[in-house]
Amino acid sequence: MAELKTVGTSVQRKDAIEKVTGSAQFIEDRYMGPMLYAKMKKSTVAHGIIKKIDLKKAQAHPGVKAILTGKDYPNKIGLYLIDRDFLAVEKVRYWGEPVAVVAAVTEKAAAEAVELIEVEYEELPGVFDPRESMKPNAPVIHEDLGNYEIVPIFYPKPGTNIANHFKLRKGDIDKGFAEADLVIEKEYYVPQMQHVPIETHKAAVQWGHDGKLTVWSTAQSPNVVRQLLAKSFDIPMHKIRVISSYIGGGFGCKAGASVEGLVIPLAKMFPGYIVRIIFNREEDMQGTFTRQALFSKLKTGVRKDGRITALQYEMIWDGGAYTEYGVNIVRAAGYSSTGAYDIPNVKTDSYCVYTNNSIGGPVRGFGMCEMQWGIERQIEEIAKQLDMDPLEVRMINGMKKGSTTAAGQVVQDVDYHKCLKTVADQIGWGKKEGKYRGKGIAGLVKCPAQPSNAASSAIIRINEDGTAHVMIGATEMGQGMLTAISQIASEALNIPVDKIDIKVPDTDFTPYEWQSVGSRITYTCGTSVKRAAEDALGQIYLIASDLLETPQEDLTFDGKKVYSTKDPGIKATIREIADSCKKCTGEGIAGPIIGRGSFVPTNMTNLDPETGQGNPGLFYCFGATGVEVEVDPETGVIKILQLAAAIDAGQAVNPQLCISQLHGGTIMGLSTALYEEVKFDKGIMLNRNFTDYKISSIDNTPHIDSFIIETPETNGPYGARGIGEQPMIAVAPAVANAVCDALGIEFNTFPLTPERVWKAIKDSK
Amino acid sequence: MSEKIAINFTVNGDNESRDVEVGQTLMKFIRDDLHLTGTKSGCEIGECGACTVILDGKPVNSCLVLAVELDGKELVTIEGLTKNGELDRIQKAFIDHAAFQCGYCTPGMIMSARALLERTPEPTDEDINEALSGNLCRCGAYQEIREAVKSASKK
């Protein structure tokens, strides 16, 4: 491969100037035209039948234009399982579920009117623990589960609360346990967390007089929003335009479609007006996706030499009231259920279970943080019982080139061992530093969880002066996509990054991208853009060849001109080629240059419904986290003394932005390890603000030593793979492993709050 | 209609007179009336710091201040840091260190950092941590932010 010029350099972010000057436009910063403001009336019970909704007082409130309830539009929506009501119809399934939506001339009037709506419920018994909810006598939350439309790779059990049962059988589990010298079985619990992007969910919708629906949304995936709305409201796709702005943090909560559908029927009533809804912080925490809680049982068989021979994993996920998206997290955790380890015999059952808690859904890690918590904790237990070094157990079982995943997919381009060794060396592994100090390491792996045909496309327009516009459907939520994608285009086109313009998407003008999720964009969109660039470049050569009457193979393009390698005097500027090229006689040769590229995975397959075997991964990204802690035995407070993170980016497109992602994921992981847990009381979310739900702030964020490992991804653009989600995954278990090393106390759940640690110290005495 | 009160103030160096609703927050006034949308809304209850502006030299959560309190005061928003198209040194430092990701908390973060550098020209890590602890960044750019503020202080 030729030496890289732009890929691999830390060029300045494309969005830098806008973001530091406050001129970067987010949805709420846009003036769009005459507006109406919407607010939701939310349920006050977690499970109940709506007996009556009295709108009279609210309708008479000054400024109110319209109020709609679930009866007015019983449309459903869902990415994988179409089970979600925009507005509750007949019954509510979680506390805070929208039951009515008001449009008014001011936000204040809408909020006041909401208070005047009177709703009468007949409360039903609720279920708030998925283990209870799985039992045959549990109250059924979705009576119509058997009639819901579903992507046929999920397996609900109608008549129960099980929305998906993912089964995986690899090798021979009985043989695996028979070969083991030691069998360990433990239970683990991971609570719900919230993404809390600083920008909440927002959408504005206009129903044009011509029947065109325009949607401005904080969604991570404009194309999927368009697709889901088209289906839910039965509108042809060319009549829906979804416009993205910069997104003020996503982390998964803005994936799929969320708030947009709440205001579409209101917009339809007032053509020309823009109806806007903005979730406040409390609504954002309680009414959008939370990370699904996980109750798991993990049993491993291991030989005396440290080799794991069998793994049996039962995972029961709290899917919450609607599992339209959550069913796929459960699937992903199932097919990845050996974590970063090559284990020959596996039996996994992963259940997505409805409860009357808030809606479960995608969060950075997509099930991997929760599932690999158990794996990475259990390896410590294995090491302890075998009196081995836990790092060695990881090294012995860790995946390497040619290993197979739980699903039986062969992994390539892997150097997990280097990731482990890097963080171990950094934190001085093996050296005990003091009585209440301890060190811990954990590893990670993740592939994008996406349908096997999740596609991507790109268009590149070459301007008359040789500058270019890159048009794509991916969204910019901080991950640096605009910059990385421009660098890939620049590399392939040989045009400098500063001569490339790139913008966030608008479905009327930018080509299709499935979703900006799963750390897939660098790979998928990057591949499309590289292909579009090569297509444009091919046209440049073709046109130049005609113009210069020179064979293409003798020509080369230096970004400014095309010239003959045999006679540099034979040359044409990019301007001459790109500006509707004509011969000196005036005869036209070619019109404007438009490069086209698209991508769909060819290495993924469906999974066998009984064994879960197949190829679910587009690529696999490995990494590791190392931590040193000091615990105050009097208070239970954990101090992070060292934090090291390594991720295998394949080829860092932009090293500075890779480090940003590595830091960001590590800090979010640390925040969940130490502070974050959404608390419910019979479905009522108790901590719905930043005072009660604490997240990392600058004053409690330690220095991170970060390492980008580069084991090129054979099929990734210039060897790159995505790394956005991954750095979060190993942090919580690494911290717990370090605390365990310090205190000799096992933790099977987190966050490791001072209270929890203090109690554990007290109980151990 | 709600009661309105006339106020006089300066915003980013310009004298202004406006009639403001008595219950309106400074954050809403800045965004909706002055159309200075660089100031962001993240929680509206003073917990996230995204709406931080500098009022008479001090950083405040503009969601916790009433617009009427602006009377007679000097307001600086993120838009006021750029002079004749030239970025402030703290803005340049944020770019050099990639001290932001999604950019939503960034204006508030920069205003808190600017106010810190005004009162403590050479802050320590502890000074920075304390001054910016009320500005949440969920993307986790804290390490880069610390480096950016330190580098801006040296100039």
Side-chain angles (χ1 to χ4, degrees):
Chain A
M1 196 159 65
E3 204 170 305
L4 298 173
K5 289 188 285 289
T6 308
V7 165
T9 65
S10 295
V11 304
Q12 181 179 308
R13 285 183 71 116
K14 280 279 182 186
D15 49 6
I17 305 274
E18 284 176 279
K19 285 185 174 173
V20 302
T21 55
S23 59
Q25 282 213 322
F26 297 82
I27 292 284
E28 204 182 342
D29 304 334
R30 289 188 166 199
Y31 175 75
M32 299 148 176
M35 296 191 64
L36 295 174
Y37 301 87
K39 288 298 276 183
M40 299 173 285
K41 176 73 178 179
K42 291 167 285 180
S43 77
T44 51
V45 300
H47 197 199
I49 293 167
I50 301 169
K51 300 293 283 184
K52 194 177 156 198
I53 304 180
D54 187 344
L55 303 175
K56 277 190 227 76
K57 283 184 205 158
Q59 280 163 334
H61 192 67
V64 170
K65 300 286 280 186
I67 306 176
L68 293 177
T69 68
K71 273 194 184 148
D72 302 314
Y73 69 111
N75 310 49
K76 283 195 181 315
I77 198 163
L79 186 62
Y80 296 109
L81 168 63
I82 302 182
D83 69 349
R84 174 134 77 119
D85 298 322
F86 292 109
L87 289 174
V89 183
E90 289 171 9
K91 69 183 272 193
V92 294
R93 298 179 174 89
Y94 69 99
W95 179 82
E97 180 164 2
V99 292
V101 61
V102 177
V105 294
T106 63
E107 207 160 24
K108 190 160 166 270
E112 287 162 354
V114 159
E115 295 303 314
L116 299 172
I117 298 173
E118 290 168 9
V119 189
E120 204 181 296
Y121 301 97
E122 179 191 325
E123 219 172 326
L124 297 170
V127 266
F128 308 103
D129 180 328
R131 295 167 300 179
E132 294 298 317
S133 192
M134 279 178 81
K135 290 181 179 164
N137 58 349
V140 173
I141 296 168
H142 285 262
E143 296 83 354
D144 287 338
L145 178 58
N147 300 323
Y148 292 159
E149 218 176 297
I150 188 166
V151 177
I153 54 171
F154 301 101
Y155 307 100
K157 291 196 185 321
T160 76
N161 288 321
I162 298 172
N164 185 27
H165 174 195
F166 178 83
K167 278 194 275 187
L168 184 135
R169 307 288 183 265
K170 179 192 180 191
D172 181 339
I173 191 73
D174 296 329
K175 182 170 149 276
F177 280 117
E179 284 168 9
D181 298 308
L182 172 72
V183 173
I184 291 171
E185 189 166 9
K186 292 263 177 194
E187 294 190 11
Y188 301 95
Y189 172 61
V190 178
Q192 283 99 338
M193 67 162 282
Q194 245 296 348
H195 321 65
V196 289
I198 307 302
E199 181 201 40
T200 60
H201 287 67
K202 299 167 190 183
V205 167
Q206 182 185 45
W207 198 287
H209 290 284
D210 58 354
K212 178 102 180 188
L213 177 67
T214 304
V215 179
W216 293 264
S217 169
T218 52
Q220 289 176 222
S221 311
N223 287 96
V224 156
V225 168
R226 186 175 67 146
Q227 176 198 325
L228 295 179
L229 294 178
K231 188 166 172 55
S232 187
F233 292 99
D234 195 22
I235 305 168
M237 290 173 92
H238 75 295
K239 286 285 193 184
I240 307 179
R241 176 182 177 193
V242 183
I243 301 172
S244 186
S245 294
Y246 285 125
I247 298 169
F251 318 111
C253 68
K254 293 167 180 167
S258 49
V259 298
E260 304 84 3
L262 275 171
V263 287
I264 288 173
L266 287 170
K268 195 173 182 180
M269 296 170 74
F270 304 100
Y273 278 85
I274 289 139
V275 184
R276 190 176 81 176
I277 189 160
I278 290 176
F279 276 26
N280 63 28
R281 180 54 57 192
E282 175 174 326
E283 289 165 341
D284 209 65
M285 291 196 68
Q286 161 274 316
T288 67
F289 294 131
T290 59
R291 185 164 83 184
Q292 305 178 116
L294 171 63
F295 294 86
S296 65
K297 278 185 198 160
L298 178 57
K299 182 176 164 185
T300 44
V302 59
R303 290 195 317 235
K304 272 184 201 147
D305 63 2
R307 184 76 178 96
I308 301 169
T309 56
L311 178 143
Q312 186 173 319
Y313 215 157
E314 183 191 70
M315 291 179 255
I316 299 172
W317 299 82
D318 185 342
Y322 297 97
T323 65
E324 49 117 343
Y325 208 138
V327 288
N328 197 38
I329 301 164
V330 169
R331 179 177 186 266
Y335 66 63
S336 311
S337 54
T338 56
Y341 305 96
D342 187 348
I343 300 173
N345 306 296
V346 187
K347 175 175 188 263
T348 298
D349 291 279
S350 185
Y351 299 92
C352 185
V353 187
Y354 286 119
T355 66
N356 295 111
N357 291 324
S358 288
I359 303 169
V363 185
R364 192 178 207 162
F366 207 74
M368 298 305 120
C369 299
E370 306 89 295
M371 181 274 288
Q372 291 179 49
W373 161 260
I375 304 257
E376 294 296 329
R377 289 292 301 124
Q378 189 136 119
I379 285 184
E380 297 294 300
E381 191 63 27
I382 290 171
K384 192 167 91 182
Q385 295 206 21
L386 291 177
D387 197 22
M388 284 178 75
D389 177 349
L391 177 61
E392 199 190 340
V393 178
R394 286 184 171 84
M395 291 288 194
I396 290 169
N397 294 285
M399 285 194 204
K400 42 188 180 285
K401 187 178 170 67
S403 294
T404 57
T405 66
Q409 184 168 11
V410 177
V411 292
Q412 303 291 344
D413 313 325
V414 184
D415 202 345
Y416 176 47
H417 292 72
K418 189 172 181 183
C419 298
L420 287 170
K421 192 168 182 318
T422 301
V423 297
D425 289 347
Q426 176 63 33
I427 64 166
W429 183 252
K431 291 197 284 283
K432 182 81 177 168
E433 315 279 358
K435 193 175 174 197
Y436 293 107
R437 285 171 70 164
K439 290 175 184 171
I441 283 176
L444 70 95
V445 65
K446 186 181 183 299
C447 65
Q450 58 164 46
S452 63
N453 64 340
S456 172
S457 53
I459 294 168
I460 296 180
R461 288 159 36 207
I462 308 291
N463 291 318
E464 299 91 300
D465 61 356
T467 60
H469 295 277
V470 174
M471 299 160 75
I472 47 156
T475 50
E476 177 58 66
M477 50 197 151
Q479 80 278 41
M481 172 282 295
L482 292 174
T483 314
I485 295 299
S486 302
Q487 287 180 257
I488 290 170
S490 166
E491 189 69 51
L493 278 171
N494 214 359
I495 290 177
V497 174
D498 61 6
K499 289 192 172 177
I500 291 174
D501 176 74
I502 186 166
K503 291 280 188 306
V504 294
D506 173 334
T507 58
D508 265 10
F509 300 101
T510 50
Y512 182 87
E513 180 70 50
W514 179 63
Q515 293 210 82
S516 297
V517 300
S519 311
R520 62 186 284 281
I521 291 300
T522 299
Y523 188 112
T524 60
C525 184
T527 301
S528 298
V529 163
K530 186 163 178 275
R531 289 175 180 174
E534 285 159 358
D535 184 33
L537 201 56
Q539 293 173 46
I540 290 171
Y541 280 119
L542 189 69
I543 297 165
S545 170
D546 199 350
L547 179 68
L548 301 172
E549 295 175 350
T550 304
Q552 278 193 55
E553 55 270 26
D554 294 348
L555 295 175
T556 192
F557 176 52
D558 67 2
K560 289 179 183 153
K561 60 182 186 306
V562 176
Y563 61 93
S564 166
T565 49
K566 291 190 172 151
D567 178 0
I570 299 175
K571 64 185 179 194
T573 63
I574 181 67
R575 182 182 289 271
E576 289 171 293
I577 296 161
D579 189 3
S580 301
C581 186
K582 63 178 195 293
K583 292 181 182 172
C584 57
T585 56
E587 293 159 79
I589 293 175
I593 298 163
I594 303 170
R596 181 191 70 92
S598 66
F599 170 78
V600 72
T602 52
N603 64 337
M604 292 174 65
T605 66
N606 292 334
L607 304 180
D608 183 280
E610 290 305 316
T611 66
Q613 298 296 289
N615 295 339
L618 177 61
F619 62 84
Y620 288 86
C621 173
F622 289 80
T625 304
V627 182
E628 184 182 13
V629 298
E630 181 165 23
V631 185
D632 182 336
E634 300 300 320
T635 61
V637 170
I638 295 168
K639 189 175 178 199
I640 305 292
L641 302 174
Q642 290 198 80
L643 182 52
I647 203 79
D648 194 336
Q651 160 71 54
V653 176
N654 183 314
Q656 189 181 42
L657 295 190
C658 281
I659 296 286
S660 284
Q661 287 303 299
L662 187 47
H663 285 169
T666 303
I667 290 168
M668 192 180 264
L670 186 63
S671 189
T672 62
L674 299 179
Y675 317 119
E676 295 184 39
E677 175 172 11
V678 176
K679 299 217 165 147
F680 290 96
D681 179 14
K682 296 201 167 19
I684 298 173
M685 189 184 280
L686 300 176
N687 43 353
R688 313 190 292 268
N689 55 53
F690 285 122
T691 300
D692 298 329
Y693 187 87
K694 186 176 159 64
I695 64 169
S696 281
S697 46
I698 195 167
D699 52 322
N700 53 35
T701 296
H703 176 81
I704 302 164
D705 292 301
S706 29
F707 301 91
I708 302 294
I709 309 295
E710 292 183 309
T711 313
E713 181 72 30
T714 307
N715 295 315
Y718 301 104
R721 67 173 73 86
I723 61 151
E725 294 183 272
Q726 284 81 1
M728 177 163 173
I729 298 168
V731 182
V735 170
N737 294 346
V739 174
C740 180
D741 183 46
L743 301 175
I745 298 171
E746 297 288 334
F747 289 91
N748 293 342
T749 187
F750 60 100
L752 301 182
T753 58
E755 184 188 9
R756 177 169 275 149
V757 174
W758 179 82
K759 271 187 183 159
I761 295 170
K762 200 162 154 269
D763 293 346
S764 71
K765 280 177 183 163
Chain B
M1 281 305 282
S2 325
E3 193 192 339
K4 289 201 169 184
I5 289 178
I7 59 168
N8 299 297
F9 56 97
T10 70
V11 53
N12 300 329
D14 295 333
N15 293 316
E16 284 275 0
S17 300
R18 295 289 173 116
D19 293 334
V20 297
E21 283 185 31
V22 288
Q24 193 179 28
T25 65
L26 179 58
M27 188 266 284
K28 289 270 186 196
F29 176 71
I30 290 169
R31 289 183 53 83
D32 298 347
D33 292 43
L34 300 179
H35 304 297
L36 297 171
T37 54
T39 300
K40 301 300 176 204
S41 167
C43 70
E44 298 189 64
I45 50 174
E47 294 177 336
C48 76
C51 66
T52 305
V53 295
I54 298 177
L55 196 57
D56 275 357
K58 294 200 182 86
V60 297
N61 286 319
S62 60
C63 69
L64 293 184
V65 177
L66 290 174
V68 292
E69 295 177 68
L70 184 56
D71 191 34
K73 293 201 169 78
E74 197 180 312
L75 170 68
V76 182
T77 67
I78 186 73
E79 289 85 354
L81 289 198
T82 317
K83 298 276 182 330
N84 303 319
E86 178 77 10
L87 300 184
D88 187 87
R89 62 195 157 102
I90 186 73
Q91 291 173 311
K92 284 181 191 159
F94 265 59
I95 293 178
D96 292 344
H97 293 270
F100 57 89
Q101 290 183 32
C102 79
Y104 199 81
C105 75
T106 310
M109 195 71 80
I110 287 177
M111 295 316 280
S112 286
R114 191 81 204 85
L116 168 68
L117 293 179
E118 288 294 326
R119 61 181 189 269
T120 313
E122 289 190 32
T124 61
D125 275 5
E126 286 69 34
D127 294 333
I128 295 168
N129 285 345
E130 192 191 338
L132 301 185
S133 63
N135 292 82
L136 297 176
C137 166
R138 186 53 155 170
C139 299
Y142 296 131
Q143 188 158 326
E144 289 83 354
I145 291 166
R146 264 198 299 258
E147 286 161 7
V149 177
K150 261 193 286 189
S151 86
S153 74
K154 286 174 194 145
K155 285 170 193 163

